[in-house]
Amino acid sequence: MKSHENLTGKHVVVVGAGYAGLHAALRLVPHVRVTLIAPDGHFTERVRLHERAAGRPDVTHPLRELLGPARVTHVAARVTRIDTGAARVHTDAGPVIGYDRLVCALGSRTAEATAAEGAAGRLYTAESAPELRKRLLGGAGALTVVGGGLTGVELAAELAEFHSGWQVGLVTGGEIAPSVSAKGRAHVRSALRERGVRIEEGRRVTDPGDLDAEVVVWSAALVPHTELAVAAGIAVEEDGRIAVDSALRSVSHPDVYAAGDAASVRTPAAGRLRMACATALPLGAHVATAVVRDLSGREPEPVSFGYLLQCVSLGRHDGIVQPVRADDTPRGAVLTGRPAALVKERIVRSTVWALRTAARHPRLAGHVPGMG
């Protein structure tokens, strides 16, 4: 992006400090005044939450370290209302913040399970990883992960590897790891069974109370954090994600943009993008470019994105790296075992490194692979 003298004094508010929001804020700061609104003072590596549940001490990084070299203003508050008519954001800390453009990047969460009476005390998700960790250290018994997607697989493998006193099971309505190739799926089954995980495919669970387990870890689906957008009258798709055009601009409010899991994005190469870190980072980069072009009086360009890999950890010493086509369908080849685990770890580490690079050298961030 090229800086533009007419942008002096323009103000962009970014709501959410996840992968997309934080990256967007860091990419915007050389061009406009940026305010990042997020209640917590840290960035959470969401792709490591299964490691946190298994015993990793921390998976967060202080925002002051990531934002310190940049000129992003962090407001530690929750947004309570978006007033699109007045172009203002209301917060629970008191400040009402005006904007020239707003970027909604509030991400997603694990969909809540409908728990029967008595199930709530034993029900956890990836987001409650610290509480789950404490519970697992407090005794042993049966633990069931619900959901056979990649997040559920990583949780089951990690928990079984590091909490051997627990009998870990995984239940899924379809087949396990449906997004990878048959060879990759066979390796997932083998790796889980080696760790003592009981796999039950083809069983759809809607109520955790139906499971005979002391602990249930719900990992069945993700839903977007877009309640504020809905309340503000911003158009959303059927799944609740904000409806955007090809440049990530709201179809109902042109001064509002969305990125990451909160946005419903389609590209010619990939189709509709899934919720993931792999999509959030490049979308954060693109939304920054689009906003700068918009404020400069130029038409934002459409987002271009295609998938390359799916990376899955199976404990600390095993994993899968699944090459995929641009539309996320698996290719025949697959890397497994220790080499795959090392590749996955390097990719995860590179994410934080890239964010730090964007903070210290924002004009170089666009040259970092995977960062837009």
Side-chain angles (χ1 to χ4, degrees):
M1 290 186 291
K2 294 182 179 179
S3 185
H4 197 285
E5 60 180 4
N6 293 334
L7 298 189
T8 302
K10 294 295 185 180
H11 186 211
V12 178
V13 172
V14 179
V15 181
Y19 293 101
L22 183 56
H23 192 200
L26 293 171
R27 291 290 299 274
L28 281 163
V29 78
H31 311 278
V32 295
R33 184 164 62 93
V34 181
T35 297
L36 176 68
I37 306 177
D40 299 321
H42 57 261
F43 163 73
T44 297
E45 289 188 83
R46 187 170 177 175
V47 295
R48 288 196 189 273
L49 287 176
H50 60 288
E51 299 176 39
R52 181 71 179 91
R56 191 181 182 96
D58 195 15
V59 295
T60 66
H61 303 271
L63 282 178
R64 65 178 182 274
E65 294 182 3
L66 292 170
L67 300 177
R71 301 189 308 277
V72 176
T73 299
H74 174 222
V75 175
R78 294 184 184 278
V79 173
T80 57
R81 184 165 71 92
I82 299 171
D83 184 347
T84 56
R88 293 180 178 179
V89 173
H90 295 250
T91 69
D92 62 357
V96 177
I97 304 168
Y99 60 82
D100 292 294
R101 295 295 183 272
L102 175 68
V103 177
C104 292
L106 283 167
S108 63
R109 64 183 183 276
T110 303
E112 295 87 352
T114 303
E117 185 177 355
R122 60 190 179 96
L123 182 62
Y124 298 86
T125 65
E127 291 87 351
S128 58
E131 292 78 13
L132 174 58
R133 165 68 173 164
K134 292 178 183 177
R135 174 65 183 88
L136 297 181
L137 291 175
L143 179 154
T144 300
V145 176
V146 179
L150 303 187
T151 301
V153 165
E154 291 189 323
L155 276 164
E158 202 85 21
L159 295 176
E161 183 171 300
F162 286 91
H163 295 281
S164 57
W166 285 82
Q167 299 172 339
V168 178
L170 187 150
V171 177
T172 179
E175 64 178 351
I176 200 168
S179 63
V180 304
S181 64
K183 182 178 180 181
R185 198 155 39 250
H187 184 78
V188 169
R189 291 191 181 105
S190 175
L192 290 178
R193 286 170 178 151
E194 285 178 3
R195 288 160 177 77
V197 178
R198 184 189 73 259
I199 303 170
E200 189 173 357
E201 299 177 86
R203 179 186 176 187
R204 187 170 299 279
V205 177
T206 58
D207 187 342
D210 295 336
L211 297 169
D212 184 17
E214 282 75 27
V215 170
V216 176
V217 184
W218 200 260
S219 185
L222 292 174
V223 293
H225 280 296
T226 52
E227 293 83 359
L228 287 168
V230 172
I234 298 170
V236 297
E237 300 278 6
E238 289 184 3
D239 65 354
R241 291 198 276 177
I242 295 172
V244 297
D245 65 14
S246 61
L248 307 185
R249 179 172 43 197
S250 165
V251 299
S252 61
H253 294 75
D255 58 348
V256 176
Y257 286 75
D261 291 357
S264 181
V265 182
R266 296 172 178 84
T267 70
R272 192 176 194 185
L273 304 191
R274 57 182 166 87
M275 301 183 190
C277 168
T279 55
L281 283 169
L283 290 182
H286 184 85
V287 80
T289 301
V291 166
V292 170
R293 289 184 64 89
D294 183 7
L295 290 173
S296 301
R298 296 173 290 164
E299 182 62 24
E301 296 179 348
V303 64
S304 176
F305 178 85
Y307 293 95
L308 293 174
L309 299 170
Q310 291 183 19
C311 298
V312 189
S313 62
L314 298 167
R316 294 297 82 212
H317 306 290
D318 196 356
I320 290 176
V321 175
Q322 174 68 67
V324 297
R325 301 177 182 87
D327 65 356
D328 209 24
T329 55
R331 298 182 183 273
V334 62
L335 180 68
T336 62
R338 179 65 173 168
L342 292 173
V343 171
K344 167 71 185 294
E345 177 62 22
R346 177 166 293 185
I347 290 174
V348 172
R349 289 187 182 186
S350 71
T351 298
V352 177
W353 172 82
L355 288 171
R356 293 186 187 279
T357 299
R360 291 179 171 83
H361 309 286
R363 298 184 188 279
L364 299 180
H367 302 285
V368 178
M371 298 294 285

